[in-house]
Amino acid sequence: MNRKPLQAKKRAFRVLRSFKTAAAAGLFCTAFSGCSTLTQPIDGVPANRLPPEFFAEPKNDLVPVDISLLSLEPPRDYQLSGGDILGVYIEGVLPFNPPNAPPEPPPVNFPDADSTLPPSIGYPIAVQDDGTLALPLIEPLQVEGLTLDQVREAIRDAYIDSEILRPEKARPIVTIIKERTYDVIVVREDTATRSGGGDEIRGLSDQSASGGLVKLRAYQNDILHALVETGGLPGLTAKNEVKILRANKADQRKRAQFVQQFYAQQQAAKLNPCAHLPELPEDPSILRIPLRVKPGVVPNITDADVRLESGDIVYIESRETEVYYTGGMLGGGEFPLPRDYDLDVVGAMALAGQGLGASNNQRGGGGLGGGVSSIGGVPPGLVYILRKTPGNGQVAIEVDLAKALNDPRQRPLIQAGDTIILQYKCEEELLNFGLGTFFTFGVRELFRN
């Protein structure tokens, strides 16, 4: 009797039995350990059904602001004010000469190495804070806003009217020895040493702000010159804006009142358990000047906005909070968002080390720490974007990676604070387990005996 057909039937039966056992085990393991859609369900809203108010604001089309708007236009002729130091020479008066003595020649003053002024002639006389110029034998002259030629004529007329000099002897010389300066404080959080790759966020690099006192000459006391003196426009680690905090007492009081009112509103809201705590609104006493705007938008930046006075603070704020987080099959991570271009969910996954369609056989099989290995090699195909909403709320955006690959509208933009969770679908878990079981048990049974 030929036993070969009987042996073949027995082998087939054993293979079928092993498949049944493996399938049962697979269903058990999938249901109770690996399938995150059952053990760790997330109630998500498909990306194509999400209301527009939950989407991130695109920034790919933003264009840089014309930086000339950040500077002052100097006048054709220099206008004097308090703090200017003039070189004044008046023959017979400054300096005083006895009637029979020959006149002394005027002193020549050479400017500092970093000054753009030419050499000047005369004795140094400072313009007072009230805009007056004190000279010998006459009342102080009001020179606020006058040019050098106008001051020269005013001095000549004053000495002639006082009968101190005859018209043919009144030939004063007026030059500028030193321009007035404005002491501005610049604080920058974009000039510290960076190591790249998000390390500045994880505390692996220096996050201390740099800054100092900058002396700006008259008609250069603007935002552009303050930035140029301290390193240029804000870098990629800083926000695309410049904050100005005025030093005058009125603005300081406004800022203090604003903070007090906000915290008073918070305390009142805490008394109502159903009320949402108010978010910090925009401080009206702080001037924010954007450096990138939408196409066709011309920002309303006036000379008063960019003009800096002594004590004003120019603040370049860091983007250290503009990050997104990853979890699930992507592993835990924290990554900085690009400043000047959009990043969708597929690009965010690529930055996190998981490209679309790639498989990762070294990580767990589900959710936030699943237990079934991806033996079959089928990549995970479901992504959830956990996005914060006002009032400490949250919305979960569901993204099917198969659809996202073919339809850009299925790839939402990532915004600061988002958490990306990569998971397997239940059918992907089953398929991975079935393929793994076949290559682990089925092939062995086929070649057994």
Side-chain angles (χ1 to χ4, degrees):
M1 181 177 181
N2 190 358
R3 296 186 179 183
K4 291 184 178 180
L6 182 60
Q7 293 175 353
K9 289 181 179 180
K10 289 182 178 180
R11 284 197 301 269
F13 178 75
R14 285 197 300 268
V15 171
L16 180 61
R17 184 175 59 186
S18 65
F19 274 130
K20 289 181 179 179
T21 304
L27 290 174
F28 180 83
C29 294
T30 301
F32 293 99
S33 61
C35 187
S36 57
T37 57
L38 296 179
T39 61
Q40 297 167 342
I42 299 177
D43 296 328
V45 180
N48 57 346
R49 298 182 184 177
L50 196 67
E53 58 266 21
F54 292 104
F55 283 101
E57 190 73 21
K59 52 189 176 183
N60 268 347
D61 59 342
L62 299 181
V63 295
V65 171
D66 184 1
I67 61 173
S68 64
L69 296 176
L70 305 180
S71 64
L72 296 173
E73 181 180 2
R76 178 171 307 213
D77 295 316
Y78 188 88
Q79 297 176 355
L80 301 177
S81 185
D84 289 324
I85 299 179
L86 302 182
V88 181
Y89 174 77
I90 307 173
E91 183 179 346
V93 176
L94 189 66
F96 173 75
N97 289 325
N100 297 326
E104 294 185 10
V108 178
N109 309 289
F110 292 94
D112 298 334
D114 58 347
S115 175
T116 59
L117 293 174
S120 57
I121 297 175
Y123 293 90
I125 304 293
V127 179
Q128 304 301 313
D129 292 338
D130 59 357
T132 60
L133 186 68
L135 296 173
L137 306 178
I138 61 173
E139 294 293 327
L141 295 177
Q142 182 60 243
V143 298
E144 178 75 28
L146 300 183
T147 65
L148 292 179
D149 289 338
Q150 291 172 337
V151 172
R152 192 178 298 112
E153 290 299 323
I155 293 174
R156 182 177 184 276
D157 294 340
Y159 278 100
I160 291 176
D161 294 341
S162 300
E163 298 182 351
I164 298 175
L165 293 177
R166 296 192 300 270
E168 63 273 12
K169 292 290 186 179
R171 295 188 297 269
I173 298 175
V174 180
T175 58
I176 296 181
I177 295 179
K178 187 176 181 180
E179 302 161 304
R180 62 185 180 273
T181 58
Y182 299 86
D183 297 336
V184 177
I185 300 173
V186 180
V187 179
R188 305 188 62 135
E189 294 181 345
D190 64 335
T191 55
T193 303
R194 309 295 188 192
S195 56
D199 288 341
E200 65 273 10
I201 298 171
R202 300 185 181 90
L204 301 181
S205 63
D206 187 10
Q207 270 291 302
S208 59
S210 64
L213 189 66
V214 179
K215 290 186 175 292
L216 301 176
R217 292 193 290 267
Y219 304 113
Q220 295 181 3
N221 55 315
D222 50 47
I223 295 175
L224 183 59
H225 282 87
L227 295 178
V228 170
E229 290 288 335
T230 56
L233 295 176
L236 294 178
T237 57
K239 293 183 178 181
N240 252 321
E241 65 178 13
V242 180
K243 294 172 64 174
I244 308 298
L245 286 75
R246 301 296 182 186
N248 60 71
K249 296 299 182 182
D251 284 330
Q252 292 177 2
R253 287 193 296 268
K254 287 181 182 178
R255 288 196 288 270
Q257 293 173 359
F258 169 79
V259 173
Q260 291 176 351
Q261 291 175 359
F262 171 72
Y263 284 106
Q265 293 174 357
Q266 270 201 334
Q267 294 298 326
K270 288 180 180 179
L271 300 177
N272 185 1
C274 299
H276 295 302
L277 293 179
E279 295 184 356
L280 184 66
E282 189 70 24
D283 192 335
S285 64
I286 297 179
L287 176 63
R288 295 177 183 266
I289 297 181
L291 299 181
R292 292 175 71 88
V293 294
K294 293 183 178 296
V297 175
V298 179
N300 185 22
I301 302 176
T302 64
D303 284 352
D305 294 334
V306 301
R307 181 180 289 109
L308 302 175
E309 302 293 340
S310 291
D312 286 350
I313 300 174
V314 179
Y315 181 36
I316 306 299
E317 192 174 2
S318 172
R319 292 195 312 116
E320 61 179 356
T321 58
E322 295 184 7
V323 298
Y324 68 94
Y325 307 93
T326 58
M329 293 300 297
L330 289 175
E334 186 182 58
F335 301 90
L337 283 171
R339 189 189 69 172
D340 297 330
Y341 62 88
D342 296 328
L343 182 69
D344 60 28
V345 63
V346 176
M349 291 173 57
L351 288 179
Q354 177 78 38
L356 192 62
S359 62
N360 191 342
N361 297 336
Q362 303 299 323
R363 290 177 179 161
L368 303 172
V372 178
S373 298
S374 174
I375 302 175
V378 177
L382 191 61
V383 169
Y384 290 99
I385 303 173
L386 307 183
R387 180 162 294 171
K388 298 178 181 179
T389 59
N392 294 325
Q394 174 182 282
V395 61
I397 307 172
E398 181 181 306
V399 179
D400 189 319
L401 291 181
K403 296 179 180 178
L405 181 62
N406 298 287
D407 187 1
R409 294 173 297 179
Q410 302 283 344
R411 303 199 289 262
L413 299 180
I414 303 300
Q415 68 182 26
D418 284 351
T419 300
I420 303 175
I421 305 295
L422 178 63
Q423 290 185 342
Y424 280 107
K425 301 177 184 177
C426 230
E427 57 269 26
E428 293 168 345
E429 292 273 20
L430 290 173
L431 185 57
N432 274 327
F433 188 86
L435 292 174
T437 302
F438 173 75
F439 287 107
T440 303
F441 299 102
V443 175
R444 185 182 65 183
E445 291 293 333
L446 286 175
F447 289 97
R448 187 177 179 182
N449 296 327

